[in-house]
Amino acid sequence: MLLVTGGAGFIGSNVVAALNDAGRSDVVVCDLLGHDGKWRNLAKRQLVDIVPPAELLDWLKGRKLDAVIHLGAISATTATDGDHVFETNFRMSMRLLDWCTAGAVPFIYASSAATYGDGEAGFGDDASLPALKKLRPMNLYGWSKHMFDLAVAGRVANGDPLPPQCVGLKFFNVFGPNEYHKGSMMSVLARRFDDVKAGRVVQLFKSHREGIADGDQRRDFIYVDDVVRVIMWLLAKPAVSGLFNVGTGKARSFKDLMLAAYAALGTRPNIEYIDMPENIRGAYQYFTQSEVDRLCRAGYNGGFTTLEDAVKAYVGDYLDRPDRFR
């Protein structure tokens, strides 16, 4: 069996879909479905079980798995409960790392571009301890992910045991189907699509930094299908381990993202710019752009979808249809 933690979430449910499409129905999801309709992310899938996170360690006792794909986390960059975030994102990850090490089970886990903070130390995915120690995450979520990256790097540096495959993936700004339960953490495209479709004004943040135009804050936007391809490739390449960026390598603006949505619908843009809330200005990233050379040197040659093609696919295949779920 394969275990996908966070498998009812955004990236996780897309991974489960790809596994099903590849003929794997022996998939176990660890997640909480809650009351926000997250179950719909799995409504078209075939699973063995859905295990609540609090029961996972007991469930794992005596089992042998083909791999653990660990995507479960508190992923809100606005989260403020430090104890809860650290317990969920760091300590549970450590327990899974130890379990996979003891049982020689491949372990693929989600890190984040949030570990890079404001980008002052660059966006290179050097997994050495000296390089990682230079990073300064700007929010609690990014710090919790960074702490786990450091823990893994420490074991590598000390020659301590690790799973036979141990891979961390620093996801940049992922968007695509099944993100609808994420509320304010949805991509701006998903949040504003109905406004785009109806011709209502779409609001983007003004810039509060000299030299950067309103709406020109840039991110490395990557379509979820590209992320899934990387994970599926890693499952087929058990000799590959390391810490890798997963982005397109090209930063694009939020304005570009929304203009691509208008283009996909063939409608006239209607964008206005509003002040960024005071509470997030100090921790706001104005630029992220992955360096993907390390992933390519490891052998990945699947390429990445351009922003315009990705938005066109997302709009045409999901957002502009009655059933938006994969």
Side-chain angles (χ1 to χ4, degrees):
M1 290 188 294
L2 286 159
L3 173 66
V4 182
T5 73
F10 168 36
I11 297 175
S13 64
N14 279 277
V15 169
V16 172
L19 290 169
N20 276 184
D21 291 345
R24 298 291 303 252
S25 59
D26 55 343
V27 179
V28 176
V29 162
C30 174
D31 212 332
L32 293 172
L33 299 179
H35 302 280
D36 55 7
K38 197 161 67 170
W39 68 271
R40 295 186 184 278
N41 288 345
L42 295 173
K44 302 171 186 177
R45 309 277 69 90
Q46 185 175 0
L47 304 168
V48 174
D49 199 2
I50 300 177
V51 181
E55 300 176 17
L56 181 59
L57 294 180
D58 284 338
W59 182 88
L60 284 170
K61 290 177 181 177
R63 294 187 187 272
K64 176 68 177 175
L65 300 175
D66 290 340
V68 171
I69 305 169
H70 180 40
L71 306 174
I74 296 171
S75 59
T77 57
T78 55
T80 58
D81 186 337
D83 296 312
H84 186 42
V85 169
F86 191 76
E87 174 66 30
T88 303
N89 293 4
F90 179 81
R91 297 190 72 206
M92 177 56 80
S93 299
M94 291 298 295
R95 294 182 190 112
L96 282 173
L97 176 66
D98 289 341
W99 186 88
C100 288
T101 300
V105 176
F107 182 63
I108 300 170
Y109 75 91
S111 182
S112 172
T115 58
Y116 291 117
D118 63 5
E120 193 171 303
F123 298 96
D125 50 3
D126 185 339
S128 68
L129 274 176
L132 289 175
K133 286 179 178 179
K134 294 177 183 177
L135 302 183
R136 295 292 181 268
M138 298 172 71
N139 54 55
L140 177 60
Y141 163 70
W143 172 75
S144 69
K145 290 293 188 179
H146 182 56
M147 288 293 288
F148 187 66
D149 289 341
L150 283 169
V152 174
R155 293 191 179 191
V156 172
N158 292 332
D160 295 335
L162 285 169
Q165 180 183 33
C166 187
V167 181
L169 299 175
K170 292 200 173 195
F171 297 133
F172 278 67
N173 280 67
V174 188
F175 69 101
N178 293 12
E179 61 173 317
Y180 320 118
H181 65 283
K182 291 172 65 68
S184 63
M185 292 295 108
M186 275 193 292
S187 69
V188 66
L189 173 56
R191 290 202 313 273
R192 300 292 179 245
F193 178 76
D194 289 340
D195 292 329
V196 172
K197 177 78 172 176
R200 295 188 293 267
V201 67
V202 170
Q203 296 179 330
L204 297 178
F205 287 144
K206 290 180 180 178
S207 170
H208 295 272
R209 186 171 294 181
E210 189 175 347
I212 297 177
D214 294 340
D216 199 39
Q217 303 93 330
R218 293 175 180 255
R219 295 285 188 278
D220 191 333
F221 296 107
I222 180 169
Y223 197 43
V224 70
D225 285 10
D226 293 344
V227 169
V228 170
R229 270 195 295 275
V230 171
I231 293 173
M232 295 297 286
W233 175 78
L234 285 165
L235 287 172
K237 300 289 183 180
V240 176
S241 289
L243 182 64
F244 302 104
N245 284 334
V246 181
T248 65
K250 295 180 180 179
R252 300 291 300 275
S253 71
F254 284 96
K255 183 179 179 180
D256 289 340
L257 179 71
M258 298 316 299
L259 289 178
Y262 284 107
L265 289 171
T267 57
R268 186 187 300 274
N270 184 12
I271 299 172
E272 72 174 19
Y273 300 97
I274 61 171
D275 286 331
M276 188 181 299
E278 292 274 1
N279 66 316
I280 67 171
R281 287 186 197 180
Y284 189 82
Q285 291 175 304
Y286 272 74
F287 180 88
T288 65
Q289 180 171 279
S290 65
E291 297 177 16
V292 293
D293 295 351
R294 194 178 300 274
L295 181 63
C296 295
R297 288 198 301 271
Y300 184 72
N301 60 3
F304 302 101
T305 310
T306 66
L307 180 68
E308 285 73 17
D309 286 346
V311 171
K312 183 177 181 181
Y314 190 14
V315 169
D317 295 341
Y318 300 99
L319 290 177
D320 200 27
R321 295 196 173 195
D323 182 359
R324 294 181 172 182
F325 292 88
R326 181 174 183 184

